[in-house]
Structures are given as C-alpha cells and as structure tokens.
Amino acid sequence: MIGNRLFTGINNLCKWVCYFFYLNVMWMLCTLLGGVLLGISPSTVALYTIARKTAMGEEDIPVFKTFWRIYKKEFLKANLLGLTLIAFAAVWYMDFIFFRQLEGTFYRMMDYFLLLIGILFVIVISYIFPVYVHYEMKFLSYMKYSIAFGFLHPLHFIAMIITTISTYYFFAYFQGFILILGFSLSAHLNMWLAYQSFQKIAEKHLKYEQKTSYNSVNRKPLEMRGTFVTKS
C-alpha cells in the first residue's frame, strides 16, 4: 500500500518535472525565435496561457499546439505590451537615478514620487500577464486593473512577492534548475496566485449580477459592459 503511494507520488513528480521542462524549453526557443526582444513577450503570454489552463484544473492540455497558436496569434499585441513595459521601466529608472543625484526639497519629493510609481509598477508586473491572458480588455485597461487587483487583494500580492523572492533565491543557489523549470515554474506559481484573486472577483461579480436587473434603466451588468469578460 505504502509502496504504491510512493510509486504514484514519484510518477506524478516526474510528470510535473517533464511538463515544466518542456514548457521551459518552448519558452526559451520561442524567445530566441523572436530575437529575444521581440520573442520574450509573446512567449511569456503563451506560457501564462497554459499556466492559466492548469490553474483552472484543465487536464490533457495540448501544450505544443496551444503554445505555438498563442505565440503566433498574440505576437504583435504581446510585443506592444512588452515593449511598453520595457520603455516605461527604462524611463522610470533613468529619472529615478537622475533625481537621486540632486539635492533640494523638490528633488526629494520627486524621488519619493518615483519610488511610489516604482511600487505601482511592481504591482503591474506581478499581475499584467495573468490579467492579460484571463480577461478581454482594452489595452490600457490591463494596466489599470493590474494595479486594482494588487490593492483589492493585498495578501495575494504579498504572496506573489514572497514566492518570487523565494524562487529567485532557490534558483540562485541551484542554478542548474533554471534551465529545467525556472521560468515555467515561476509563471505557474504567479498565475495560480493571481487566479485566486480572479475567482474572488468572479464570485463578487456573480452576486452583483444576481442583484441587478438586466433591463434596468441606464444600467447593464458588468459583463455586458465588458469589464470582466474572461477569455475562453
């Protein structure tokens, strides 16, 4: 009995390791295929799409077919998102370094202001890809709702930060695992935590819809307005 459980546990562990390794390889290859700069964003979107399906409990996911389809489909839009984030981070970093070198009340206030912007940017980075693969929204709405989720569910955001730091130190000490499951495991952990926030929002959304009349004057339910329409 114990032997069967042990064998089953080892078998499941091996399956998960192979699964993460396969995704890791696909993520790296597709990133290189786009010349890194133009490949990393669509590869990450494809990786998070599969991570979302796993978080939702889907089984027997056609990994290669799904990854490649999303990579091609989202190539332009994902790059627009990724390059926007990179450009914003570069401008923020240069401004932050610039104002820290100057003295005076104004520059100190700008220093604190940029520090606040940096914190908001960390929230965006933590949620942007999970929000992108889970919801159908306008481009700027992904940024706005990424910040909103961070404030609405601070415990989940803190868990994301702790998980990210923990995985960073793990892979820093065991660097050989980076190529095996580094990026794919991190994405799955991040997506799972974000999905818990999405579930809470969905529950509140459902309760709201139950209390709202579909034909009330000058009012439509949230889903009809396109606020939280989830992707298939």
Side-chain angles (χ1 to χ4, degrees), residues 24-159:
N24 224 41
V25 170
M26 289 199 64
W27 183 85
M28 290 187 291
L29 289 177
C30 287
T31 297
L32 293 174
L33 183 64
V36 180
L37 182 61
L38 296 180
I40 189 169
S41 294
S43 294
T44 302
V45 167
L47 177 60
Y48 269 91
T49 299
I50 294 177
R52 171 184 178 255
K53 292 179 179 295
T54 302
M56 295 175 68
E58 293 189 27
E59 299 180 355
D60 299 324
I61 303 170
V63 176
F64 178 82
K65 182 179 178 180
T66 302
F67 196 104
W68 184 241
R69 176 176 60 82
I70 297 299
Y71 180 85
K72 293 186 296 181
K73 176 184 176 183
E74 300 289 344
F75 190 86
L76 293 178
K77 191 176 178 181
N79 269 307
L80 177 60
L81 176 65
L83 293 175
T84 300
L85 293 174
I86 292 172
F88 182 88
V91 171
W92 176 87
Y93 180 75
M94 289 187 292
D95 287 344
F96 186 71
I97 296 300
F98 173 76
F99 285 112
R100 296 210 79 177
Q101 294 176 344
L102 302 174
E103 296 182 359
T105 303
F106 172 76
Y107 300 112
R108 181 167 296 181
M109 290 177 60
M110 288 301 298
D111 190 25
Y112 290 144
F113 174 72
L114 287 171
L115 185 60
L116 175 61
I117 296 298
I119 294 173
L120 294 178
F121 186 68
V122 170
I123 297 175
V124 169
I125 291 297
S126 299
Y127 272 100
I128 190 68
F129 286 105
V131 170
Y132 182 86
V133 301
H134 192 67
Y135 294 111
E136 288 284 0
M137 293 179 174
K138 294 180 179 179
F139 185 77
L140 293 179
S141 295
Y142 289 118
M143 311 287 185
K144 180 174 65 175
Y145 282 102
S146 293
I147 296 174
F149 277 115
F151 282 101
L152 288 172
H153 302 287
L155 293 180
H156 288 152
F157 172 65
I158 293 173

Side-chain angles (χ1 to χ4, degrees), residues 16-17 19-21 23-24 27 43-44 47-52 54-55 125-127 129-130 156 159-172 174 177-195:
W16 278 108
V17 171
Y19 168 76
F20 287 126
F21 175 69
L23 278 175
N24 224 41
W27 183 85
S43 294
T44 302
L47 177 60
Y48 269 91
T49 299
I50 294 177
R52 171 184 178 255
T54 302
I125 291 297
S126 299
Y127 272 100
F129 286 105
H156 288 152
M160 283 182 176
I161 297 299
I162 294 174
T163 301
T164 300
I165 294 174
S166 299
T167 52
Y168 169 80
Y169 279 106
F170 174 80
F171 291 123
F174 303 99
F177 284 99
I178 295 177
L179 296 178
I180 298 176
L181 44 79
F183 305 105
S184 56
L185 177 61
S186 299
H188 277 70
L189 291 173
N190 183 253
M191 185 68 231
W192 185 85
L193 288 168
Y195 185 67

